[in-house]
Amino acid sequence: MAASLIVNTLEKSVLNPDNIVKRKAVRNYTNVNIDRISYLVTNNSYSNFFETFLLRNQPCILSSVNTEAWKSRKDWVNSDGKPNFEFLRKTFGCTVGPVANCKKEKYSAQPKEDKTFADFVDYWQSYIESDYPESMDNLYLKDWHFTRDFPDYTAYETPCGFSSDWLNEFWDTKDDDDYRFVYMGPKGSWTPFHADVFRSFSWSANICGRKKWIFYPPGEEGNLRNKYGHLVYDVDSAELLDENLYPNYKKVGSRIEVIQEAGEIIYVPSGWHHQVYNLEDTISINHNWMNGCNVDICWEYVKDNLSQVQQEIEDCKGMDGWDQQCQLILKASCGIDYGEFLQFMEVIAINRIRLLQVHLVNKSRNLPTEQRQSGSDETPSVDNIKCLADEKQADVSGACDSYTSVLNERLYSPMTEGQINHCVFDLYSVKNVLCDMIRTPEFTSLNDCENKANELIVKIEKIINSII
């Protein structure tokens, strides 16, 4: 399934260079409260939400008004608020998904096995009917790629506040994965202490049931590692009180707990480690995502992972192809390497450059004839833009089908100033990462990566200069 390229409205104040430079300064994690947002986040309120929570990397909870129209909240839940097992089994029973055993631990994770959804529902009903006995395993369907498995069933709409989703925009071009999941589990199922993949944002909407979330702000996780550097598995474990094993636990300064009710959506910012309990039989829809607000955090995380890889195999540094071997291990352990992160930035940048090129074409249509005829070479023609829309691999391999449809729409409908602001903000954010890349020796040593990054920086600067 291809993600829609949605461009919401940002106020021009977000483009103030001082705001971008000071972005890290506003990521203040002292005395944090998790705000509950009672209103429906729409395009009109998007810019305020963006600046207050996404730029500042602060958690919040959106009220159930943001999910009340979702098909999943009608089809998947009975009138008593419990899962509609009959509908779920009949509609989705044939698929297979990963099921974790919450009562077992293996290599600091809950072991998983694939089960048919029908078998999992049968187990779940039996567990409830037996009153959740200690003698039975507590199984949790996790990381089920529901949208990928059922692309024609529109269970939900991505909330407006979270719709600038670079991660799924990029991964949809690869046709082999996405970061959209459904979780289903009985009362007592839980997820151990962790931070999200790539240090991405995440959002989680309760279709039914209630969850308890335990958060630690970025930086606190260092105090929750044992003397060997391993993160604690369970933050409620008594082993944390062992000062010999966890010498820094007494330094923990902030633990935040919050209850998420049915219908509510919780926003988990980058690098916020968390542990989650299902207080009732619960179904949730979750996305991992990133955008221009946190891409710098994600890139730093990838760089840190490479440093760890280099330390682990430092004794082999003299071997031929050591740098390439480090990248292979990075890909296996982190999920992405430097070359793929560059591809990621290319897809995001080229999509927005083309949209802004379309805007310039539409703008030129409204100029007097003599000005159009003497226009800048930087402004493409309508024919050139249509050609770009048809060339799915013009600049980046695997261009997204949904992008092409958005581009075609833009040929005949102008972008608003707020949408232009968002594209420019995104390009500034990509450029900042690219500039850091070309200052990173391990990146510039890779074949042709430095040239590609520099070429993309030139394209970004050229289109921004044409717009601003």
Side-chain angles (χ1 to χ4, degrees), residues 64-229:
S64 59
V65 69
N66 290 273
T67 64
E68 61 185 5
W70 289 4
K71 189 175 182 180
S72 54
R73 290 202 63 200
K74 298 175 174 63
D75 289 353
W76 298 6
V77 186
N78 288 321
S79 58
D80 61 359
K82 303 295 185 182
N84 186 339
F85 292 119
E86 181 179 354
F87 174 86
L88 292 168
R89 183 190 289 104
K90 180 180 179 181
T91 311
F92 311 121
C94 61
T95 194
V96 174
V99 176
N101 190 332
C102 297
K103 290 186 177 180
K104 294 182 179 179
E105 177 187 354
K106 186 175 182 180
Y107 303 121
S108 296
Q110 295 168 340
K112 290 182 181 180
E113 63 176 336
D114 287 341
K115 287 183 176 292
T116 65
F117 184 68
D119 285 347
F120 174 73
V121 171
D122 289 344
Y123 149 78
W124 194 354
Q125 286 187 289
S126 174
Y127 193 52
I128 293 171
E129 291 165 1
S130 302
D131 196 25
Y132 311 95
E134 284 294 323
S135 59
M136 288 181 68
D137 288 333
N138 189 310
L139 303 183
Y140 195 0
L141 177 66
K142 288 184 174 184
D143 299 324
W144 176 22
H145 292 269
F146 175 86
T147 302
R148 188 182 65 189
D149 289 349
F150 296 94
D152 297 326
Y153 184 95
T154 308
Y156 64 99
E157 297 290 341
T158 300
C160 178
F162 312 137
S163 56
S164 176
D165 179 354
W166 295 9
L167 192 60
N168 287 299
E169 181 183 340
F170 173 60
W171 245 263
D172 282 342
T173 69
K174 301 170 74 63
D175 294 327
D176 61 354
D177 209 351
D178 67 4
Y179 287 91
R180 308 177 186 91
F181 308 107
V182 167
Y183 282 46
M184 297 189 183
K187 180 175 69 174
S189 52
W190 67 293
T191 298
F193 192 54
H194 71 287
D196 287 316
V197 60
F198 308 138
R199 295 303 179 264
S200 61
F201 294 148
S202 66
W203 61 263
S204 178
N206 278 358
I207 304 307
C208 66
R210 303 166 69 237
K211 292 179 185 282
K212 174 184 175 181
W213 292 75
I214 302 171
F215 286 104
Y216 287 86
E220 288 283 16
E221 70 276 5
N223 297 322
L224 293 158
R225 296 185 183 277
N226 63 23
K227 62 183 181 180
Y228 306 108

Side-chain angles (χ1 to χ4, degrees), residues 331-343:
K331 170 71 175 178
S333 63
C334 183
I336 196 168
D337 58 23
Y338 278 17
E340 191 171 32
F341 208 99
L342 175 60
Q343 293 174 16

Side-chain angles (χ1 to χ4, degrees), residues 370-397:
E370 62 274 13
Q371 285 185 256
R372 290 203 304 271
Q373 291 175 344
S374 61
S376 167
D377 291 338
E378 295 180 0
T379 303
S381 68
V382 175
D383 289 341
N384 286 342
I385 290 295
K386 286 182 177 178
C387 181
L388 282 174
D390 292 336
E391 294 176 2
K392 293 182 182 179
Q393 300 190 27
D395 290 288
V396 181
S397 60

Side-chain angles (χ1 to χ4, degrees), residues 198-400:
F198 308 138
R199 295 303 179 264
S200 61
F201 294 148
S202 66
W203 61 263
S204 178
N206 278 358
I207 304 307
C208 66
R210 303 166 69 237
K211 292 179 185 282
K212 174 184 175 181
W213 292 75
I214 302 171
F215 286 104
Y216 287 86
E220 288 283 16
E221 70 276 5
N223 297 322
L224 293 158
R225 296 185 183 277
N226 63 23
K227 62 183 181 180
Y228 306 108
H230 300 143
L231 201 65
V232 67
Y233 177 73
D234 177 1
V235 292
D236 289 328
S237 171
E239 69 178 10
L240 281 169
L241 301 177
D242 182 346
E243 292 188 11
N244 290 324
L245 186 58
Y246 289 91
N248 294 318
Y249 178 62
K250 59 187 176 184
K251 298 178 183 177
V252 169
S254 181
R255 169 175 164 143
I256 303 169
E257 296 187 12
V258 66
I259 305 299
Q260 179 192 12
E261 303 292 342
E264 292 183 333
I265 309 172
I266 195 161
Y267 157 58
V268 182
S270 283
W272 282 69
H273 284 68
H274 51 283
Q275 185 164 304
V276 191
Y277 296 96
N278 288 328
L279 303 177
E280 301 173 354
D281 298 302
T282 302
I283 300 174
S284 65
I285 293 172
N286 304 355
H287 277 205
N288 291 106
W289 57 295
M290 67 176 78
N291 59 30
C293 295
N294 69 332
V295 67
D296 60 313
I297 297 175
C298 302
W299 169 239
E300 287 297 325
Y301 171 73
V302 174
K303 289 200 299 180
D304 288 345
N305 271 261
L306 180 62
S307 295
Q308 293 172 27
V309 169
Q310 290 172 327
Q311 291 175 17
E312 287 291 329
I313 62 169
E314 189 173 12
D315 57 330
C316 303
K317 193 169 184 178
M319 65 179 277
D320 291 339
W322 185 78
D323 288 334
Q324 288 74 18
Q325 189 63 35
C326 287
Q327 291 295 319
L328 287 172
I329 298 172
L330 175 65
K331 170 71 175 178
S333 63
C334 183
I336 196 168
D337 58 23
Y338 278 17
E340 191 171 32
F341 208 99
L342 175 60
Q343 293 174 16
F344 179 21
M345 295 298 95
E346 287 177 320
V347 167
I348 300 306
I350 294 300
N351 283 354
R352 282 143 188 81
I353 288 171
R354 290 176 177 173
L355 284 177
L356 292 176
Q357 287 175 329
V358 171
H359 167 73
L360 291 176
V361 168
N362 285 327
K363 185 178 178 181
S364 70
R365 285 172 170 164
N366 298 321
L367 294 175
T369 302
E370 62 274 13
Q371 285 185 256
R372 290 203 304 271
Q373 291 175 344
S374 61
S376 167
D377 291 338
E378 295 180 0
T379 303
S381 68
V382 175
D383 289 341
N384 286 342
I385 290 295
K386 286 182 177 178
C387 181
L388 282 174
D390 292 336
E391 294 176 2
K392 293 182 182 179
Q393 300 190 27
D395 290 288
V396 181
S397 60
C400 188

Side-chain angles (χ1 to χ4, degrees), residues 422-457:
H422 207 314
C423 283
V424 172
F425 172 85
D426 289 352
L427 290 173
Y428 275 139
S429 299
V430 171
K431 179 185 171 183
N432 286 342
V433 170
L434 293 171
C435 288
D436 189 79
M437 283 179 165
I438 61 178
R439 291 192 297 264
T440 303
E442 292 86 354
F443 177 83
T444 57
S445 68
L446 299 175
N447 185 37
D448 208 32
C449 281
E450 183 176 9
N451 289 335
K452 289 180 179 178
N454 278 316
E455 289 172 2
L456 190 54
I457 289 170

